[in-house]
Amino acid sequence: MSDFNRRSFLKASAAGAMLATLNACSSTGNQTSSAPNARGRSVMGLTVAPMPVVRAAIIGVGQRGVGFVRHLCNLEGVELKAICDIDPQVTERAVKIALEQGRPKPDVYGKNDRHYLDMLARDDIDIVIIATPWRWHHPMAKDSMLAGKHAFVEVPMATTIEDLWDLVDTSEATQKNCMMMENVCYGRDELMVLNMVRQGVFGELLHGEAAYIHELRWQMKEIDRKTGSWRTYHHTRTNGNLYPTHGLGPVAQYMNINRGDKFEYMSSMSSPALGRAAYAKREFPVDHERNQLHYISGDINTSIIKTHLGRTIMVQHDTTTPRPYTRHNLIQGTNGVFAGFPNRIALEEGGSGSFHEWDYDMQKWYQKYDHPLWTRMGQEAERNGGHGGMDFLMVWRMIYCLRNGVPLDQDVYDGAAWSAVFPLSKASVADRGNSKDFPDFTRGQWQHGNPLGIAS
């Protein structure tokens, strides 16, 4: 056994023993009947000692991960220590980017699927960014926390309720952050609407609409590498909402989910699954593997969430039908509504006219309600790119919080609640749309959580 493997094994064993001990000693103080015993203290509002320099590693430097390489290399107070990927083409590209930015060459791991464990055994890494296929999110995030690192995970955080609970338990036991990197929460429009909600522009909130409507059939042509090489198969395994968090994350923040309100239950239904089989028939030879697959995920999935305070949220998923991109991003209150794609506002009081007509002129609203984060960093975010700048701003904010010892904007409970729509929608669709309860991943602490503030 190599020194790296031995250290990795010992760290994982010790952390596993700690989990078992904490589980044996835990109390059931504020749990609901559906919550497992707590294995540590709540991490709501978790702060860590300020890090003058954040030492980072990345697992997965392909489609999404390469962007994180660029962003980290463009930030002060960050050292990119190592990268891991089993595809040498993408690791070579990542190393080249780091060197072009004047950074030291990061160490490269990727001999096999488990080589990342050797990387986690190092003592000079503080955070691990995980940008791998979905099935790896849970084990890699858990292994990172057990190795004493803070985990930052691409969406979704996990795809089963059991795995989501496991990440919550591990974060609490290790007192390490596990943040799902929902980049859309850092879009200019979403940040502005959050600011407007906090200032009461829309009155008392009633309803939200969130979606991921993004035609991605072309990814089926990615056979050997890139996203379509693995994501296509999810359409053959799950009939539900496969990707809920892009639209849902911002709406959940508007509504203070896990910070005064919580998701209570949801019902979900899917349309027929026709589009991908038709696309395969049109675009591939008859005997091609894509034509042998049985696609079961409905082309359009619609779910309705009810919150503890009685609010409703419609969540939709469609990556198959020919239609324009949208995340909906709608929030309705007693005084009016904001809706996205295209952006428009209608208010009873404080608007620019009758609430029976949409106001599409956003400039005056930006001038009045642009979020301080965007005012401060928006130009730099747009210059560095990543979905209009939201990717860069998210990474900048993560590093800022760690360097200044303040809580992250999202915690493990947010990632778990938002990601839970994936498995719960699957269960509801299979049960004729009957409602399914959300676990309370906070074990009652949502009643005491502070709403996400308007950071400057």
Side-chain angles (χ1 to χ4, degrees):
M1 183 180 289
S2 69
D3 287 342
F4 275 155
N5 283 332
R6 184 178 294 107
R7 283 191 292 165
S8 179
F9 174 78
L10 291 173
K11 285 186 177 182
S13 298
M18 176 180 66
L19 279 171
T21 302
L22 287 169
N23 187 39
C25 298
S26 63
S27 65
T28 58
N30 57 12
Q31 296 173 50
T32 65
S33 59
S34 62
N37 291 342
R39 297 182 178 180
R41 302 189 313 276
S42 171
V43 292
M44 190 170 289
L46 177 67
T47 59
V48 299
M51 303 177 187
V53 176
V54 179
R55 301 169 299 178
I58 305 175
I59 310 176
V61 289
Q63 295 293 96
R64 289 289 290 150
V66 69
F68 295 124
V69 173
R70 292 192 178 96
H71 297 323
L72 290 175
C73 288
N74 280 326
L75 290 175
E76 294 183 2
V78 180
E79 294 178 359
L80 180 58
K81 292 292 188 179
I83 59 174
C84 181
D85 201 298
I86 60 173
D87 185 347
Q89 290 187 22
V90 299
T91 56
E92 290 173 8
R93 179 182 60 181
V95 167
K96 182 180 179 182
I97 291 171
L99 294 175
E100 288 175 346
Q101 295 294 325
R103 296 300 186 110
K105 179 182 177 181
D107 294 330
V108 176
Y109 296 80
K111 293 178 181 178
N112 54 57
D113 287 345
R114 301 289 172 177
H115 202 200
Y116 74 92
L117 292 170
D118 286 354
M119 186 179 75
L120 296 182
R122 294 171 56 149
D123 295 325
D124 62 343
I125 293 172
D126 302 309
I127 72 170
V128 179
I129 291 177
I130 299 161
T132 54
W134 299 342
R135 68 186 180 92
W136 287 103
H137 289 185
H138 159 253
M140 288 177 170
K142 180 177 181 178
D143 289 337
S144 296
M145 289 184 283
L146 291 178
K149 280 65 172 163
H150 300 284
F152 293 85
V153 193
E154 260 296 335
V155 301
M157 197 167 79
T159 60
T160 71
I161 297 297
E162 293 76 16
D163 287 348
L164 291 168
W165 267 120
D166 197 25
L167 291 178
V168 169
D169 290 341
T170 305
S171 181
E172 291 180 342
T174 61
Q175 292 296 292
K176 294 298 179 182
N177 287 294
C178 182
M179 173 179 155
M180 184 178 72
M181 298 182 293
E182 182 40 77
N183 59 335
V184 174
C185 292
Y186 296 90
R188 182 184 188 182
D189 298 326
E190 287 79 6
L191 286 170
M192 179 186 74
V193 175
L194 178 64
N195 194 18
M196 296 175 78
V197 166
R198 291 293 183 268
Q199 296 191 43
V201 173
F202 304 109
E204 294 294 322
L205 301 187
L206 304 167
H207 173 76
E209 295 183 9
Y212 186 66
I213 311 295
H214 189 187
E215 190 277 309
L216 294 174
R217 290 172 297 176
W218 53 269
Q219 287 186 343
M220 294 168 65
K221 294 182 178 180
E222 297 173 343
I223 306 298
D224 298 320
R225 53 169 42 94
K226 297 187 177 180
T227 306
S229 65
W230 54 268
R231 190 164 169 173
T232 298
Y233 296 101
H234 282 279
H235 291 268
T236 71
R237 300 168 185 153
T238 301
N239 187 5
N241 189 322
L242 302 178
Y243 205 63
T245 70
H246 278 339
L248 183 58
V251 172
Q253 290 188 333
Y254 306 155
M255 291 188 176
N256 293 332
I257 298 301
N258 291 340
R259 294 166 169 83
D261 198 0
K262 71 181 181 76
F263 296 150
E264 198 83 7
Y265 59 89
M266 65 171 265
S267 300
S268 184
M269 287 178 277
S270 291
S271 75
L274 303 178
R276 289 189 174 254
Y279 183 84
K281 184 178 180 180
R282 186 179 78 219
E283 299 293 330
F284 297 95
V286 173
D287 60 350
H288 194 280
E289 182 263 357
R290 292 297 195 237
N291 271 312
Q292 312 309 312
L293 297 176
H294 178 50
Y295 302 96
I296 66 169
S297 188
D299 292 354
I300 304 172
N301 176 270
T302 302
S303 303
I304 300 292
I305 298 174
K306 188 78 167 177
T307 78
H308 181 80
L309 296 182
R311 298 159 173 162
T312 52
I313 307 173
M314 183 189 75
V315 188
Q316 287 191 314
H317 175 269
D318 174 8
T319 60
T320 300
T321 68
R323 58 191 294 189
Y325 179 92
T326 180
R327 296 189 299 271
H328 289 350
N329 193 30
L330 183 147
I331 191 70
Q332 175 72 59
T334 54
N335 187 53
V337 60
F338 176 95
F341 302 88
N343 290 339
R344 54 206 189 276
I345 294 175
L347 299 176
E348 185 167 34
E349 296 183 6
S352 56
S354 169
F355 60 83
H356 292 290
E357 297 180 357
W358 290 108
D359 178 4
Y360 290 93
D361 180 10
M362 287 295 109
Q363 291 307 310
K364 60 180 178 293
W365 300 104
Y366 287 138
Q367 292 173 7
K368 188 173 184 180
Y369 293 109
D370 248 343
H371 194 288
L373 280 181
W374 194 266
T375 302
R376 176 181 180 180
M377 294 296 298
Q379 288 186 348
E380 176 121 359
E382 290 179 332
R383 181 165 59 251
N384 283 279
H387 295 94
M390 63 175 68
D391 291 359
F392 176 83
L393 185 57
M394 175 183 69
V395 177
W396 177 87
R397 177 65 180 167
M398 286 159 39
I399 299 302
Y400 176 91
C401 291
L402 293 172
R403 295 188 70 196
N404 289 274
V406 297
L408 298 170
D409 298 327
Q410 293 91 44
D411 56 32
V412 70
Y413 310 116
D414 297 318
W418 305 350
S419 298
V421 172
F422 185 126
L424 293 180
S425 67
K426 176 182 177 180
S428 180
V429 168
D431 192 25
R432 295 170 57 87
N434 285 312
S435 64
K436 302 299 173 183
D437 292 341
F438 276 85
D440 177 11
F441 293 106
T442 75
R443 298 182 174 92
Q445 290 300 313
W446 64 270
Q447 300 170 82
H448 313 293
N450 295 319
L452 180 65
I454 303 299
S456 58

